[in-house]
Structures are given as structure tokens and as C-alpha cells.
Amino acid sequence: MIEVRGLHFSYPGGEFRLDIPSFDVGPGEKLAVIGPSGSGKTTLLNLVAGIVTPARGTVRVADVEVSALGDALRRAFRIRQIGFVFQDFELLDYLNVLDNILHPYRITSALRLTASVRERARSLAERMGIGDKLQRHANDLSQGEKQRVAICRALLPEPRLLLADEATGNLDPRNKDVILDLLFDSADAHGATLLAVTHDHELLPRFDRVVDFADYRSPATT
Ligand code: ADP
Ligand code: MG
């Protein structure tokens, strides 16, 4: 599902370097990525999602060479194929919870907003414990509630690939279990692949495989 080869990436003007000779995630696989803060975990997810592109090397997702597409095609591909739970949620503060969850459907004609999609949105929110908050502004939510909205938005289009960036980092233990179950169930139901960054070592046994990102950090250049 994901195939990274000979990747080199750096931010303009920044000192950070990411070098990944080879990285693969199989279809339906659930992979956890761990590693110290600043080691490039979020950057990897952004590369896989085509939010940023590598200076060298290739990123293929579902047999599409994402790194070779132009901006507009990368964005279209991302909206259709990838559900991304961002570390900082990236909710639209001026929209209510329901409209945030439905937002992917409003920005592309590739996703059709039908009555059954709306119904699924409500039932997802219900299962996430935010069913009574659909009309609230995203601004007025706690961190944990925002996180759950971000997860609902990522799951609703039933993407083939789920990218989750510390998606349970703001949740209390009880909610964490409920939400992780939902994330895994949802992935299983559609045979989706899950690539999740986590700091939470208690969660690791639930994944098929764990990759430690410390291994990809380039030696400091002098
Ligand atoms: P992690 O998610 O593992 O904590 P990140 O991928 O967010 O790490 O960041 C890796 C490194 O890249 C860090 O040193 C960070 O400061 C730097 N970085 C992240 N985003 C940017 C950016 N937009 N511009 C410049 N440097 C960045
Ligand atoms: Mg990060």
C-alpha cells in the first residue's frame, strides 16, 4: 500500500534531514511508528499524504507515485484515498462539529454527500461520544473532543489508507480504548491500511508491526 524508496527530504532553510532508503506498508497492515520528538514522524506522514514532496526518491501509495504528481492531483488523491488525523487536528474553527466532519465532501466532487453519509456521520459521532456536540463550534471543544472530531472526519469517507498522528494523545484511558477500537474496526471493515504515530507504548501490541523512527535519522552533518 505504501512504498518509499531512496527518499531524501529537508525543509527549506532548515537543518532537519530525513533519509529513508526503503519503507513499506502492506495492504491492510496496521503499522505503528514510534520515535523521539523531532525525528520526522509527522514529516513522513506528510510525505505519504503528498502534503510535502521529497527532494529525491519516490513515494508510492496504492500504486500511484504520489511524489510525481502536481499539487492539484496530489490533493485530489489525498482527499479520495487518505484519511488523515492530524496531530494538531486542523479543524475549521468557524464550522460546527457536523460540518467539520462532513468537510471532505464539500471540497471535492469525488465524494458525494448523500443522506446515508450524513447518517453515518451522526452514528460515528455517537460512537465517539460526541453525538450531543454536533452543533457546537469546533472552537468551543476540549482538546480530546477536537481529536475525536478529527478522527470522525478521517473515517467518514472510508479511506483505503488511514494516517493517524498521535490520534489518542489527548484522550483519557477509557476514551482511548473506545476510540482505538473504532479506528481498528473501521480499518478492518474496509480492509484499510493504518499507519499510526504514537508515543503510547501500551498500544503497540495492537499493531501488526512497529517501526522505530530513530533508525531513520541521518547522522548530524558537520
Ligand atoms: P516528529 O513528528 O517526529 O516530532 P516532525 O516531522 O514534526 O517530527 O519534525 C521533524 C523536524 O523537522 C523537527 O526538527 C522540526 O522542527 C522540523 N520541521 C517540521 N516542520 C517544519 C517546517 N514546516 N519547516 C521547517 N522545519 C520543520
Ligand atoms: Mg509529530
Side-chain angles (χ1 to χ4, degrees):
M1 185 64 178
I2 302 174
E3 185 191 289
V4 173
R5 292 289 178 270
L7 178 139
H8 175 79
F9 175 84
S10 61
Y11 289 102
E15 304 209 324
F16 175 74
R17 304 270 179 278
L18 186 63
D19 284 290
I20 303 181
S22 173
F23 173 79
D24 293 88
V25 186
E29 191 174 17
K30 297 185 182 70
L31 182 76
V33 173
I34 57 170
S37 179
S39 58
K41 304 178 300 295
T42 295
T43 304
L44 173 72
L45 296 190
N46 286 338
L47 283 157
V48 168
I51 292 168
V52 296
T53 51
R56 287 198 301 276
T58 55
V59 178
R60 295 177 74 85
V61 175
D63 289 326
V64 173
E65 192 175 335
V66 181
S67 49
L69 301 175
D71 286 352
L73 286 175
R74 284 207 315 278
R75 183 168 177 277
F77 179 79
R78 181 163 67 244
I79 294 170
R80 290 178 60 153
Q81 308 277 0
I82 298 177
F84 200 149
V85 185
F86 296 97
Q87 190 168 11
D88 53 1
F89 321 128
E90 303 207 0
L91 300 181
L92 296 164
D93 285 337
Y94 58 91
L95 294 179
N96 69 26
V97 167
L98 182 61
D99 287 329
N100 266 286
I101 295 173
L102 297 175
H103 192 250
Y105 288 80
R106 299 243 163 77
I107 55 176
T108 173
S109 52
L111 297 173
R112 288 202 0 103
L113 182 51
T114 60
S116 82
V117 170
R118 283 175 180 281
E119 192 39 52
R120 270 199 298 122
R122 284 176 195 282
S123 101
L124 260 180
E126 204 66 54
R127 287 180 65 188
M128 284 285 200
I130 50 170
D132 56 340
K133 305 208 164 59
L134 293 177
Q135 303 308 322
R136 278 250 213 117
H137 269 82
N139 234 353
D140 303 333
L141 301 174
S142 73
Q143 294 296 98
E145 288 164 348
K146 286 183 185 180
Q147 193 149 51
R148 284 177 275 165
V149 176
I151 294 170
C152 288
R153 181 181 58 188
L155 292 179
L156 185 62
E158 300 176 343
R160 306 169 64 172
L161 175 60
L162 277 164
L163 303 176
D165 202 349
E166 304 191 19
T168 56
N170 293 282
L171 304 173
D172 57 84
R174 202 170 55 96
N175 265 319
K176 196 164 73 180
D177 278 334
V178 170
I179 277 140
L180 218 71
D181 286 343
L182 189 56
L183 208 59
F184 274 77
D185 288 352
S186 180
D188 284 336
H190 317 291
T193 305
L194 174 62
L195 176 56
V197 170
T198 182
H199 273 136
D200 193 337
H201 286 237
E202 268 177 36
L203 305 181
L204 297 182
R206 302 188 59 155
F207 289 86
D208 300 325
R209 190 157 61 99
V210 178
V211 166
D212 188 344
F213 226 70
D215 300 344
Y216 291 127
R217 209 191 326 223
S218 334
T221 45
T222 48

